[in-house]
Amino acid sequence: MREKRRMATPASTRATKASIEPMTSGYALVVDGHIKASFEAKDSALEFGRELKARFPHLQVKIFDAETKRSEAIAAGSCGPISPHLDESRATMPFAVHVTK
């Protein structure tokens, strides 16, 4: 007789889970509804968000203010030229980067 196949590990016991702890201060870069990076200063978050939107205009990019619990969308028309100090590897890699400035 054939043996029944067993599931290796149930999904609820996986070792890698995202943090469910909400942000209480600072600013977050939200790309297509997912938090990708956090910043201490709003100017840094806006600068990076505009550069990202200029490179990839099809993305939905927002800056989330953790203190007021409000987000601000980055419009495609508000993007200026990409600044020369943008790290190319940072812009093309998956956005699992935690940036604090």
Side-chain angles (χ1 to χ4, degrees):
M1 293 186 101
R2 285 180 103 171
E3 289 185 33
K4 292 183 180 179
R5 292 187 181 182
R6 296 180 187 173
M7 293 179 65
T9 307
S12 62
T13 61
R14 290 185 184 157
T16 56
K17 289 187 178 182
S19 173
I20 56 172
E21 190 174 313
M23 289 182 63
T24 57
S25 65
Y27 300 88
L29 177 69
V30 181
V31 179
D32 290 339
H34 299 279
I35 296 176
K36 300 298 181 179
S38 61
F39 300 86
E40 290 183 15
K42 185 175 182 177
D43 294 337
S44 300
L46 283 172
E47 178 184 354
F48 194 80
R50 286 183 183 128
E51 290 171 353
L52 184 64
K53 187 69 172 182
R55 284 186 66 98
F56 306 102
H58 61 282
L59 293 177
Q60 180 186 27
V61 181
K62 293 181 180 182
I63 305 301
F64 175 73
D65 182 355
E67 290 181 9
T68 62
K69 306 280 191 257
R70 295 184 184 239
S71 60
E72 176 182 339
I74 304 292
S78 69
C79 301
I82 299 173
S83 67
H85 62 72
L86 176 65
D87 183 5
E88 292 292 323
S89 63
R90 216 174 39 166
T92 56
M93 291 176 49
F95 295 100
V97 178
H98 180 76
V99 180
T100 55
K101 290 187 180 181

